[in-house]
Amino acid sequence: MASPRLRTFPVSDPAAGPYALAAGPDGALWCTLVHAGRIARLPAAGLSGGGPAAVEEFPLDDAGCGPSLITAGPDGALWFTRMRDDRIGRISTDGCVRSFPLPAAGRGPAAAPYGIAAGADGALWFTLSAAGRIGRITTGGEVAEFPLPQADAFPAFIAAGPDGALWFTLHRAGAVGRITTGGDLSVYPLPDPDCGPVGLTAGSDGALWFTEIAAGRIGRITTGGEVREFLLPDPGCRPHAVTAGPDGAYWFTEWATGRIGRLSPEGRAAAYELPGTGSEPHGLAFGADGALYAALEHGAIARLDPAGA
């Protein structure tokens, strides 16, 4: 259904490709522009007021580096993956940019870093989707990598769990993985090996919630490995990213249908249509103003007031 409290506005040229969002320690939202090789800063106050005039964009040192997922780091900066040149990027809240090469950079097939999250150990943890490894980088740039049992498992999103470990989805293996900060790995196969898990978030209930893009489901896994799945009303909606909301629900993007979805903890689903067609919603995050923002790859940001939903 449509919502009068959902609206969109452009943040850059349509080809820039807004892809992922993260709330920064400065109260702003930070967005990767995957096709333009830039990072955008979106003040939440300006967005809720309706105008994108205050949006800032920061070019990276390689326009083709493919900035992908982004997260707030333990050092007060934002950290992001550079999927197309095998580097991890860092941007301070005043716009100073750095990047750190991974061991695979410039040598052989691309490792394609994708998901990234801050760990309980003060480091950043990331997935190497094409290399079948989990990586760790300190705020000083020291990198370590941990191979997965299945090299072609395609690790995607990663999130810090309530147990102090890092949890991640294995898209091609149909599984969810766990790695401790000491490097101990566990893998939990899902009931459907072809479900294609992608997005992942830590829930307010002490479990991890994830999307199954190929099956049209939202899944829940406890830290003990118990899995429960919720079939969405439209199995072909291709849910991509998911985040836990302050209302206790789980909000996700429907890539194929151009909608934002909501799943209550009990499994009741609702969807909010985005204006226009071909919006391709990907990442989403809650802003300091309490609204939900979603990155639309066709060149816009959507804002949804959960109170109106």
Side-chain angles (χ1 to χ4, degrees):
M1 68 178 182
S3 169
R5 295 179 181 266
L6 190 152
R7 57 188 174 85
T8 64
F9 48 85
V11 296
S12 184
D13 61 277
Y19 192 79
L21 292 161
D26 56 349
L29 281 171
W30 292 76
C31 180
T32 56
L33 301 177
V34 66
H35 300 315
R38 299 194 295 267
I39 303 295
R41 179 182 182 273
L42 306 96
L47 294 177
S48 60
V55 172
E56 298 176 88
E57 292 187 10
F58 304 93
L60 303 177
D61 55 8
D62 179 358
C65 67
S68 301
L69 299 194
I70 186 167
T71 191
D75 57 350
L78 286 298
W79 291 73
F80 54 95
T81 51
R82 295 172 41 149
M83 182 172 57
R84 296 178 186 146
D85 70 351
D86 288 341
R87 301 176 76 91
I88 301 297
R90 178 189 184 275
I91 184 168
S92 63
T93 54
D94 60 359
C96 294
V97 177
R98 294 182 64 189
S99 70
F100 302 90
L102 301 179
R107 301 200 308 268
Y114 185 68
I116 189 166
D121 59 348
L124 286 303
W125 291 75
F126 55 93
T127 60
L128 293 162
S129 58
R133 297 194 294 270
I134 301 298
R136 177 186 184 272
I137 184 169
T138 67
T139 55
E142 298 177 7
V143 177
E145 295 181 2
F146 304 87
L148 297 173
Q150 182 177 333
D152 63 348
F154 203 90
F157 279 60
I158 188 168
D163 56 351
L166 285 300
W167 291 74
F168 50 92
T169 49
L170 295 171
H171 178 65
R172 292 182 183 159
V176 174
R178 176 185 184 270
I179 186 169
T180 68
T181 53
D184 295 326
L185 277 160
S186 304
V187 174
Y188 301 93
L190 299 174
D192 178 1
D194 299 317
C195 65
V198 183
L200 180 75
T201 191
S204 58
D205 59 351
L208 288 300
W209 292 71
F210 56 93
T211 62
E212 297 182 3
I213 194 169
R217 291 190 293 254
I218 301 296
R220 176 186 185 271
I221 185 169
T222 68
T223 54
E226 297 177 3
V227 176
R228 184 182 180 191
E229 296 170 310
F230 302 88
L231 182 64
L232 298 175
D234 181 355
C237 69
R238 298 187 70 81
H240 177 71
V242 61
T243 191
D247 57 352
Y250 298 91
W251 295 79
F252 53 94
T253 49
E254 296 185 359
W255 179 80
T257 56
R259 295 187 298 230
I260 294 175
R262 178 188 185 272
L263 186 76
S264 73
E266 300 79 25
R268 293 190 300 272
Y272 304 90
E273 294 183 6
L274 298 168
T277 58
S279 58
E280 297 187 36
H282 287 289
L284 72 176
F286 280 88
D289 59 351
L292 178 67
Y293 294 87
L296 313 183
E297 196 173 343
H298 77 348
I301 292 289
R303 180 184 186 274
L304 174 65
D305 182 356

